[in-house]
Amino acid sequence: MQTKIKHDFLQSEKGQLADKILRSCVHCGFCTATCPTYQILGDELDGPRGRIYLIKQMLEGHTVTKETLNHLDRCLTCRACETTCPSGVEYGHLLEIGRSEVEKRVKRSLLQKVLRKTLLLILPFPKRFAVLLQTGQLFRPVLPGILKKQIPAKTRLTKLSLKNHKTKMLILDGCAQPALAPEINHATRKVLDALDIELVSFSGCCGAINQHLSDEEKALVIIKNNIDRLIAEFDNDIEGIVMTASGCGAMFKEYPHLLRNDEHYKNKAEIIANKTFDLTEIINTEKLKNKLNVNKNLNIAVHTPCTLQHAQKLPLNIENILSSCGYQLSTIKDKHLCCGSAGTYSITQPELSAQLREQRLSGLMVGQPDMIATANIGCLHHMNAGSTVPVRHWVEIVAENLKP
Amino acid sequence: MRYHCRMTRATKDNRKSLRKQLHQVLPKTCILETPEQTIPYESDGLTAYQQKPWMVVLPESIEQVQTIIRLCHKEGVPVVARGAGTGLSGGALPLANGLLLSLAKFNRILDINPANRSATVEPGVRNLAISEAVEKFNLYYAPDPSSQIACTIGGNVAENAGGVHCLKYGLTVHNILQLKIITIDGELITIGSQALDTPGYDLLALMTGSEGMLGIIVEVIVKLLPRPEQAQVILAAFDDVVKAGEAVGAIIAEGIIPAGLEMMDNPAICAAEDYAHAGYPVDAEAILLCELDGTNEEVTEQIQFVENLLTQKGATSLRTSQNTAERLKLWLGRKSAFPAVGRISPDYYCMDGTIPRHQLPFILQKISDLSKEYNLLVANVFHAGDGNLHPLILYDANIEGELERTEEFGGKILELCVKAGGTITGEHGVGKEKIDQMCVQFKSLELQIFHDIKHSFDPQELLNPGKAVPTLHRCAELGGMHVHDGLLPHPELERF
Amino acid sequence: METMNRTRELQDHVRAAFNDKTALKIVGGNTKHFYGNKSNAKKTNVIETRIHQGIISYEPSELVITARAGTPLKEIEALLAENNQMLPFDPPHFGEHATLGGAIATGLSGSRRPFTGSARDFVLGSKIISGKGDVMSFGGQVMKNVAGYDVSRLMVGALGTLGLLLEISIKVLPKPNTEATQVIAMSQQDALITMHKLNQTSLPLSALTYENEKLYVRLSGALSAVTSAQKKVGGETLLHAEKLWQEINEQTFSFFTESNNKPLWRLSVPYIANIDLNENSLIDWAGALYWIHSDKKAEEIQQHAIEQGGSAMLFRTHQVKAEKNAQDCFMPLPAKIKQLHVNLKMRFDPRGILNYGRLYSDL
């Protein structure tokens, strides 16, 4: 596509990158077909091709208003468009530039500012989030139904007796997950123990929340801190870091891109990304199969999170593990679609997010499953609030079927 | 390239009045009017042309479309209809003084009737979505343009879209039963029926491929076909494009009608492989993809026959799909070939000429000569079975003058197609893009009757004016520049 | 040169008629004279297209034949057969001298139609003389062509009211290697259910026809495919089936000849229509075409067809010709659609000289 990016911006590294990405787009429109928001709203401006155009206009110096901001805000960053795009347009990276540029040009409403600031003050901090959630859980019995669905009941975990293994890996605790669903990492420890892998806890947030809310500066602080701590850990015989939330995994794998201009951190980021594994990547299915008493009556629908299928490009990993282990998989429709959770999207765009959830769940329910399996805490929590069947992390299902 | 239309008679006051009335009948979110909102609509799938529309409307019901059209009719404001905006001829290119009517919100499948082998769909339903929805009945919708993942059925009808399977299963015109149309005076009419034929003139055929010039399509009943029991595709590599072309003729001469018969040359192979990882041989000069379908016995028999034939005709390697996944993967590369070329060039210009098949070697040679003359690379993708060529001229719009050279080159290719006994467009439509080449293909008498047909439906020329059929004066002006065989075309017309 | 002269001769004829507003009746082999309305013009001249005949081009590997409108169908079919090809829409001849022009102007298709397509589906291009005497060409000789409106297909079934056909290009197909017909004895109710079921399968069908307690299933394709399909379909294999299909297509089959002097109606309906006029019928096109002998009022038959989502037309009648003219053979069109017909007629034939009234009394 032809571009006429403003001269000064074109001089910057970001300008160069944006121009390169824009020019790789040939405006074919294939992306609109798999864009969840375009499929609901039917407006070019709410699809990837339109958003690319809005960003192009902005960088070319056209007037920008809240319109552009709104349409960019409505993007889920699910990156289904990237999977569909034959020309190889790096939409996610372009959107990142577009979002940070539009923040500079358009003022948000006070309400939006407060909301976004509040999210930034709570979510990335596990302790703050935990306190808030515990307060909610305390009052859960007296809360109205709608809020009750948002707040999971408190879980009690059995104490594990795990062995020591030669193979050691880190496991990211994450920010919201330890409080919302501690059972996920608990199950992971059990399953990996059976596969002779020992896990060492690594606390902290991946930085995605700040990144998605356009708080890049703070995001970089978090990321660099993670990198420094990880590099130190990797010296001690640690094979890598395991992610039980595909959103965090996708973010870790983005570190080299985010630090591409930082001479000091560039290479380190590369090392971290190469040692970051989604849980599905390290499962030895042959070995696992023999350790399970699979419940074959269970009909499971798999929702592969966007961060796993589109960002990490691992679209079939969950299905492959479950079906190789002998689980019965339910047919689903529109595998590529986002559930509407998308980080903080369910909070910043509640209406669309609910519509997307409904659409996604109806696609997952076509084969009348007993359960939905996924791989990301965001999707899990968001879909649970609207689903008639339980939504669980796939590793929990597997952990329950481990032979004693 | 900016495109200007001089046609409309509507004044500023008319538009002001229309705008006011539209705001009364449509929700705010269905009207886009600031440049920020309308510029992203300035092109369809052909970015060589851009025109910011005066206003974009996104109606949600047939009644709303009727009201919009009635108001436009009353105020004399022209209307351009648009589906997914994937067209490659600028057919949905907006007008500076006109309304752009997006039908993207009409995306529901209204009814599937397996016993009647038909489905009733809204115009904004994606082509592929139909086949996906009827898969459970073991049926499918046959025409499959390469953009089928995104393009809408309304646009398919407007352009009479083809695809890789139309050698055996026909174009859109062969695969629809009924249309609901809103005429320029806002009346809702039904053309065709659920029966196989309908009394009177074949308005269904006339409407198909009419490029939004005769009416606004608001509902389509498509024919569905039973999925063949078996389908396999052979991938054959050749070290010479002409040899591949000859192999195509040989297959058909043997009385075999493949479900699809496609050809790609080396640059196209490389680009498509880079995206699809279908296992195309990137060192081949050309590949053929030949799909055979039917009953198990038939396909097994024909696959063997065609494999032998291709070997005889000089194929350097053969691979036959062993399962559906492999077959779809082989097609994915072909179907993504256009945009995948975006990986090797910032812009491309896709031609759509069709020729009698035996002229293929001649045209290929000419294209290669012209490519050298204009110093522009070409990637060739063909629907070889039906002689439909898609040479993609690779260019960079950021380099001054390159688009103009590309267009001139493209024009030459189309004129060659006409000379070879073919046509300037097989399936993409004339739109804005090939309007000048229409003067090469048709004489003024035929062009006049096209205008007459247009006026039979839309006397004020409010529906997609300035597309598909050139004015006689335009041809006369061009004729002054292009003198063919020493004869000035349209000597009867005054020159300007 | 000869052809140029013939074209010129026809053109002059039309021009003269245009100038003195004489109605023209276009006649080819005159085999389908019964089809459509009788002209109600006071003075009518006959214009014969049979003088304009001959195959212009035919390249078997291109799957296209181009011929002049007056070329006998017989001649075309013979040439195609030599090359193991055929006109895929089974045009009925209805007589020794049927021409290509007549086949296209009436647009009739035989039993193969639901499976391979209709006359209009295979028309690729045409050359015509308009009602003003202008010679024009549309479409071409290639399979895919979307340049300009599809005037060639508009001519199909227009009964010459929009233009006199000069030349037509048709897509042809290879003849199937093998054909076999299975006969299964069953009631009409069961036959309809069976036809719907078969019609949703991918068997190599080329006709599904029912008459007098018998369902005829024709299969065409590769030997192996036909043999295996025969087993799946069941019933008895009919010997000399070609004769049966020929008779059905040419309406020399007993159903058509034993009419008891009742008019023959043609009902084109959706596959799943439920046609119940309490008359003897022959069902073709997998349930989408009914041939019915009936004395019932036109309104009654047409109303029934409309209710079932289709249309009915009076195909043949044994009544005195004057009576037949009392109303249109074809079903009345909705007002707006009729208006579009009139607009088109006005543009192609402004003085209404070409086969005026043949399709509708005011076209």
Side-chain angles (χ1 to χ4, degrees):
Chain A
M1 214 159 54
Q2 191 174 13
T3 52
K4 289 171 189 153
I5 300 205
K6 282 287 211 192
H7 185 72
D8 8 325
F9 188 65
L10 195 56
Q11 298 312 305
S12 68
E13 193 273 342
K14 266 189 184 176
Q16 285 287 321
L17 179 65
D19 190 53
K20 194 185 123 229
I21 300 173
L22 282 168
R23 282 171 39 109
S24 69
C25 171
V26 295
H27 212 254
C28 68
F30 284 22
C31 52
T32 56
T34 51
C35 173
T37 52
Y38 181 84
Q39 288 310 313
I40 287 181
L41 299 164
D43 183 351
E44 180 80 11
L45 308 179
D46 289 311
R49 186 174 60 172
R51 293 190 184 109
I52 288 173
Y53 233 83
L54 287 169
I55 296 169
K56 177 170 110 91
Q57 277 164 238
M58 172 169 67
L59 303 183
E60 287 180 346
H62 292 263
T63 318
V64 190
T65 71
K66 281 206 178 100
E67 283 295 331
T68 299
L69 182 70
N70 285 342
H71 291 297
L72 297 191
D73 275 354
R74 272 187 215 157
C75 172
L76 295 144
T77 335
C78 71
R79 294 166 68 185
C81 50
E82 289 190 21
T83 303
T84 313
C85 176
S87 315
V89 174
E90 293 170 23
Y91 172 83
H93 293 159
L94 181 67
L95 183 78
E96 211 171 78
I97 298 171
R99 280 187 170 156
S100 82
E101 289 302 309
V102 78
E103 292 284 350
K104 291 180 197 161
R105 292 165 168 85
V106 182
K107 274 203 183 131
R108 289 188 178 276
S109 69
L110 188 64
L111 191 70
Q112 276 194 29
K113 276 193 207 157
V114 171
L115 175 66
R116 295 167 83 90
K117 197 78 203 165
T118 314
L119 290 173
L120 287 174
L121 281 173
I122 300 168
L123 290 182
F125 302 95
K127 276 185 194 149
R128 293 184 201 169
F129 183 78
V131 169
L132 204 70
L133 185 74
Q134 277 156 15
T135 321
Q137 277 166 339
L138 193 64
F139 292 104
R140 193 173 182 270
V142 294
L143 287 176
I146 212 160
L147 260 178
K148 208 185 255 181
K149 281 203 131 183
Q150 293 290 340
I151 298 171
K154 213 169 166 187
T155 30
R156 285 185 197 285
L157 302 173
T158 49
K159 201 154 165 34
L160 295 172
S161 57
L162 304 173
K163 292 183 275 305
N164 292 327
H165 299 287
K166 213 176 126 219
T167 311
K168 290 185 180 54
M169 295 186 86
L170 296 175
I171 180 166
L172 181 74
D173 287 345
C175 39
Q177 189 168 310
L180 270 179
E183 58 275 17
I184 297 176
N185 280 7
H186 186 79
T188 308
R189 283 171 195 276
K190 254 169 89 178
V191 170
L192 291 188
D193 181 55
L195 298 176
D196 306 320
I197 298 173
E198 188 180 328
L199 291 174
V200 182
S201 202
F202 183 83
S203 65
C205 169
C206 64
I209 292 179
N210 296 72
Q211 182 68 22
H212 290 163
L213 291 171
S214 300
D215 181 12
E216 286 167 86
E217 241 172 88
K218 182 71 193 165
L220 285 178
V221 173
I222 296 174
I223 293 167
K224 287 180 187 171
N225 179 277
N226 283 343
I227 292 177
D228 289 336
R229 289 166 52 222
L230 281 166
I231 292 285
E233 290 279 2
F234 285 163
D235 289 340
N236 311 327
D237 274 357
I238 296 276
E239 310 248 332
I241 178 160
V242 181
M243 299 290 173
T244 53
S246 59
C248 307
M251 185 64 186
F252 267 55
K253 291 178 180 181
E254 272 292 287
Y255 284 1
H257 171 76
L258 295 168
L259 292 164
R260 65 193 180 279
N261 299 319
D262 190 315
E263 283 309 319
H264 185 63
Y265 276 97
K266 201 159 78 174
N267 295 337
K268 290 185 192 170
E270 202 72 56
I271 295 169
I272 304 300
N274 288 336
K275 290 202 170 195
T276 300
F277 301 96
D278 184 78
L279 178 57
T280 57
E281 291 180 278
I282 57 162
I283 297 286
N284 178 339
T285 40
E286 277 309 302
K287 203 163 167 184
L288 180 60
K289 198 160 67 181
N290 298 327
K291 311 255 174 181
L292 294 178
N293 268 329
V294 167
N295 177 358
K296 291 202 163 104
N297 294 326
L298 207 58
N299 187 18
I300 305 172
V302 173
H303 167 76
T304 305
C306 302
T307 40
L308 193 60
Q309 60 174 328
H310 305 303
Q312 299 193 53
K313 316 275 184 223
L314 302 170
L316 294 169
N317 278 23
I318 309 176
E319 283 100 322
N320 288 347
I321 291 173
L322 293 182
S323 64
S324 319
C325 288
Y327 286 95
Q328 179 194 335
L329 297 187
S330 176
T331 19
I332 62 160
K333 210 178 131 236
D334 296 329
K335 176 179 163 70
H336 64 273
L337 278 184
C338 173
C339 66
S341 166
T344 54
Y345 197 88
S346 55
I347 303 163
T348 54
Q349 303 280 344
E351 265 175 52
L352 263 177
S353 170
Q355 257 179 297
L356 289 161
R357 174 169 62 202
E358 202 178 305
Q359 193 180 54
R360 178 73 285 226
L361 284 172
S362 80
L364 287 167
M365 293 305 288
V366 289
Q368 294 166 331
D370 305 307
M371 183 175 283
I372 296 169
T374 187
N376 190 46
I377 178 70
C379 314
L380 185 151
H381 181 60
H382 179 64
M383 286 195 293
N384 248 334
S387 172
T388 50
V389 299
V391 185
R392 308 186 66 189
H393 196 291
W394 66 268
V395 78
E396 292 179 75
I397 304 169
V398 170
E400 275 168 19
N401 291 166
L402 280 173
K403 287 179 192 164
Chain B
M1 183 179 305
R2 295 281 152 184
Y3 150 66
H4 301 280
C5 176
R6 293 173 294 177
M7 225 154 293
T8 181
R9 281 155 294 275
T11 62
K12 244 185 178 165
D13 285 343
N14 287 127
R15 282 197 294 278
K16 214 168 131 187
S17 153
L18 176 62
R19 180 179 178 276
K20 206 175 129 196
Q21 296 171 81
L22 287 173
H23 274 281
Q24 284 163 2
V25 296
L26 288 174
K28 207 176 169 303
T29 50
C30 293
I31 298 178
L32 311 176
E33 47 186 340
T34 66
E36 188 180 7
Q37 295 171 308
T38 54
I39 293 177
Y41 281 89
E42 70 181 1
S43 293
D44 57 10
L46 177 67
T47 51
Y49 296 89
Q50 303 123 29
Q51 174 56 60
K52 180 171 72 70
W54 164 64
M55 196 188 249
V56 181
V57 286
L58 301 150
E60 291 168 322
S61 70
I62 290 186
E63 293 71 30
Q64 283 178 350
V65 178
Q66 274 182 290
T67 310
I68 293 165
I69 297 295
R70 273 194 205 112
L71 291 173
C72 287
H73 187 222
K74 189 176 93 187
E75 301 293 348
V77 174
V79 194
V80 177
R82 170 179 160 128
T86 57
L88 293 171
S89 59
L93 184 73
L95 297 166
N97 50 18
L99 198 67
L100 187 71
L101 178 76
S102 166
L103 292 151
K105 285 182 187 269
F106 288 78
N107 62 358
R108 286 170 308 166
I109 294 177
L110 302 173
D111 180 46
I112 299 169
N113 190 337
N116 203 47
R117 288 200 348 210
S118 64
T120 308
V121 302
E122 292 186 330
V125 170
R126 296 177 298 116
N127 173 301
L128 188 61
I130 302 177
S131 289
E132 284 172 354
V134 302
E135 196 181 355
K136 52 178 177 274
F137 303 108
N138 211 23
L139 298 168
Y140 75 111
Y141 175 65
D144 59 341
S146 295
S147 56
Q148 71 178 136
I149 183 174
C151 63
T152 63
I153 193 72
N156 285 183
V157 175
E159 302 293 326
N160 192 11
V164 298
H165 286 90
C166 52
L167 177 63
K168 185 165 179 180
Y169 297 107
L171 304 151
T172 305
V173 70
H174 301 110
N175 287 282
I176 57 172
L177 286 168
Q178 181 189 298
L179 297 174
K180 279 195 179 151
I181 304 280
I182 292 174
T183 58
I184 188 60
D185 44 14
E187 208 168 316
L188 181 68
I189 59 169
T190 303
I191 287 175
S193 68
Q194 294 249 34
L196 294 182
D197 51 34
T198 310
Y201 296 146
D202 198 337
L203 298 182
L204 194 64
L206 189 64
M207 194 57 68
T208 311
S210 63
E211 306 199 13
M213 312 254 298
L214 305 182
I216 306 289
I217 299 161
V218 291
E219 190 190 290
V220 186
I221 299 185
V222 297
K223 283 185 202 169
L224 302 172
L225 293 183
R227 281 187 185 274
E229 192 175 273
Q230 180 63 272
Q232 280 183 289
V233 58
I234 304 174
L235 166 72
F238 288 85
D239 55 12
D240 178 15
V241 186
V242 173
K243 270 191 210 163
E246 286 164 359
V248 170
I251 294 171
I252 291 169
E254 287 296 338
I256 290 173
I257 306 289
L261 188 48
E262 299 287 309
M263 184 168 151
M264 289 160 81
D265 73 357
N266 184 271
I269 298 168
C270 294
E273 177 60 21
D274 193 36
Y275 166 67
H277 307 296
Y280 291 171
V282 290
D283 52 349
E285 280 307 307
I287 58 168
L288 282 184
L289 288 168
C290 176
E291 178 164 299
L292 297 157
D293 68 1
T295 60
N296 289 325
E297 302 83 8
E298 206 173 3
V299 173
T300 313
E301 200 177 306
Q302 289 190 346
I303 285 280
Q304 194 152 36
F305 184 83
V306 173
E307 280 176 345
N308 289 339
L309 189 66
L310 288 168
T311 311
Q312 272 172 39
K313 292 287 159 190
T316 51
S317 74
L318 290 177
R319 187 179 129 203
T320 302
S321 70
Q322 297 305 319
N323 53 50
T324 309
E326 191 181 358
R327 182 172 63 89
L328 295 178
K329 193 98 186 163
L330 285 172
W331 280 125
L332 177 69
R334 165 58 190 89
K335 290 193 176 180
S336 323
F338 295 0
V341 160
R343 291 167 183 259
I344 55 174
S345 168
D347 300 277
Y348 65 83
Y349 187 42
C350 172
M351 312 311 296
D352 178 41
T354 302
I355 51 161
R357 219 179 302 101
H358 66 266
Q359 297 276 18
L360 200 58
F362 162 76
I363 291 282
L364 284 174
Q365 188 53 52
K366 285 282 182 190
I367 291 177
S368 150
D369 294 347
L370 284 167
S371 165
K372 281 178 206 130
E373 187 185 322
Y374 282 89
N375 195 23
L376 290 166
L377 281 175
V378 177
N380 282 301
V381 180
F382 303 144
H383 300 299
D386 36 37
N388 188 195
L389 315 171
H390 293 313
L392 304 167
I393 306 173
L394 312 184
Y395 73 102
D396 183 344
N398 278 13
I399 298 175
E400 203 167 328
E402 200 153 299
L403 170 63
E404 287 71 21
R405 265 198 300 140
T406 302
E407 280 197 305
E408 198 183 307
F409 178 6
K412 287 249 168 95
I413 296 180
L414 295 186
E415 286 168 30
L416 274 169
C417 290
V418 176
K419 219 179 210 174
T423 174
I424 56 171
T425 173
E427 56 179 4
H428 295 171
V430 174
K432 186 64 209 153
E433 178 212 11
K434 292 180 272 288
I435 198 147
D436 290 345
Q437 279 77 32
M438 281 292 279
C439 308
V440 180
Q441 183 155 351
F442 292 100
K443 300 192 304 282
S444 51
L445 279 174
E446 285 109 15
L447 293 173
Q448 184 55 54
I449 206 86
F450 290 154
H451 287 296
D452 287 345
I453 292 171
K454 163 85 172 159
H455 294 154
S456 300
F457 286 78
D458 174 22
Q460 287 165 273
E461 299 190 15
L462 294 176
L463 294 167
N464 212 7
K467 309 278 174 62
V469 186
T471 61
L472 299 183
H473 286 312
R474 188 184 178 102
C475 288
E477 283 177 51
L478 282 167
M481 292 182 276
H482 298 283
V483 177
H484 293 286
D485 304 325
L487 289 174
L488 197 62
H490 314 295
E492 70 280 14
L493 291 170
E494 206 181 326
R495 249 103 186 143
F496 299 91
Chain C
M1 256 315 115
E2 176 79 351
T3 327
M4 285 272 278
N5 291 341
R6 295 302 195 192
T7 304
R8 178 53 66 86
E9 209 176 308
L10 290 169
Q11 194 180 9
D12 287 346
H13 202 143
V14 176
R15 281 203 175 137
F18 175 79
N19 288 334
D20 51 24
K21 297 187 197 166
T22 316
L24 289 177
K25 182 183 178 192
I26 307 168
V27 176
N30 206 27
T31 53
K32 299 176 182 75
H33 54 83
F34 60 86
Y35 186 67
N37 304 335
K38 196 170 168 286
S39 167
N40 46 11
K42 280 193 197 100
K43 182 171 173 265
T44 305
N45 280 350
V46 169
I47 181 164
E48 298 227 32
T49 59
R50 273 207 318 187
I51 58 165
H52 195 65
Q53 60 168 275
I55 290 158
I56 296 167
S57 69
Y58 172 48
E59 179 56 56
S61 73
E62 295 286 335
L63 302 175
V64 179
I65 189 164
T66 302
R68 296 188 188 94
T71 314
L73 272 180
K74 259 192 336 199
E75 187 183 326
I76 292 171
E77 287 175 337
L79 178 67
L80 292 174
E82 272 172 38
N83 291 280
N84 223 6
Q85 294 187 335
M86 61 175 190
L87 290 175
F89 52 96
D90 282 348
H93 290 221
F94 297 144
E96 183 81 1
H97 303 293
T99 62
L100 177 64
I104 298 307
T106 53
L108 296 169
S109 313
S111 303
R112 217 178 282 273
R113 191 246 181 280
F115 312 100
T116 43
S118 66
R120 71 81 117 142
D121 288 341
F122 290 94
V123 168
L124 299 175
S126 65
K127 191 186 223 184
I128 65 162
I129 303 178
S130 75
K132 287 190 270 189
D134 294 332
V135 173
M136 296 183 276
S137 295
F138 301 98
Q141 299 183 31
V142 287
M143 308 280 157
K144 283 169 152 182
N145 188 349
V146 292
Y149 299 114
D150 199 343
V151 176
S152 297
R153 289 200 172 91
L154 187 64
M155 293 295 144
V156 184
L159 286 174
T161 57
L162 294 176
L164 180 145
L165 294 166
L166 282 176
E167 290 170 16
I168 302 133
S169 295
I170 308 258
K171 177 180 173 180
V172 300
L173 287 181
K175 266 201 167 165
N177 288 340
T178 317
E179 285 204 329
T181 300
Q182 299 298 107
V183 199
I184 315 163
M186 56 171 73
S187 70
Q188 176 163 330
Q189 203 53 38
D190 290 346
L192 284 170
I193 294 166
T194 310
M195 285 198 273
H196 296 156
K197 273 194 192 146
L198 287 173
N199 199 21
Q200 287 173 71
T201 67
S202 56
L203 293 173
L205 299 163
S206 64
L208 282 173
T209 308
Y210 173 83
E211 198 262 343
N212 194 17
E213 310 292 305
K214 285 192 203 90
L215 174 65
Y216 300 96
V217 182
R218 182 170 61 186
L219 301 156
S220 307
L223 176 64
S224 54
V226 171
T227 317
S228 89
Q230 277 177 295
K231 285 186 202 123
K232 284 179 198 154
V233 170
E236 304 276 315
T237 304
L238 182 73
L239 299 173
H240 313 296
E242 218 161 290
K243 183 166 167 278
L244 168 87
W245 296 112
Q246 168 84 7
E247 286 180 355
I248 290 176
N249 210 25
E250 294 302 332
Q251 302 193 344
T252 53
F253 189 60
S254 54
F255 167 83
F256 294 100
T257 51
E258 293 158 15
S259 67
N260 295 326
N261 276 341
K262 286 183 185 174
L264 177 66
W265 285 85
R266 177 186 187 274
L267 278 70
S268 176
V269 292
Y271 292 119
I272 48 168
N274 181 16
I275 296 299
D276 185 13
L277 283 163
N278 208 10
E279 300 272 16
N280 211 5
S281 57
L282 182 147
I283 308 173
D284 206 348
W285 293 5
L289 186 72
Y290 282 71
W291 294 104
I292 294 177
H293 295 294
S294 176
D295 273 332
K296 290 198 168 77
K297 279 196 170 154
E299 290 77 11
E300 190 186 334
I301 296 173
Q302 289 175 344
Q303 189 52 39
H304 186 63
I306 291 172
E307 279 162 15
Q308 293 297 319
S311 64
M313 67 111 13
L314 181 56
F315 198 81
R316 279 183 205 258
T317 172
H318 299 276
Q319 287 165 15
V320 203
K321 280 182 181 166
E323 269 178 65
K324 185 186 160 188
N325 283 336
Q327 69 192 104
D328 283 325
C329 293
F330 293 93
M331 218 167 68
L333 300 172
K336 180 74 191 181
I337 301 276
K338 188 57 173 288
Q339 185 56 52
L340 292 172
H341 277 64
V342 172
N343 291 354
L344 286 167
K345 172 77 174 172
M346 286 287 289
R347 305 285 178 167
F348 279 89
D349 178 18
R351 295 198 173 160
I353 57 170
L354 296 176
N355 274 1
Y356 190 84
R358 180 106 187 235
L359 186 63
Y360 284 99
S361 50
D362 51 354
L363 274 188

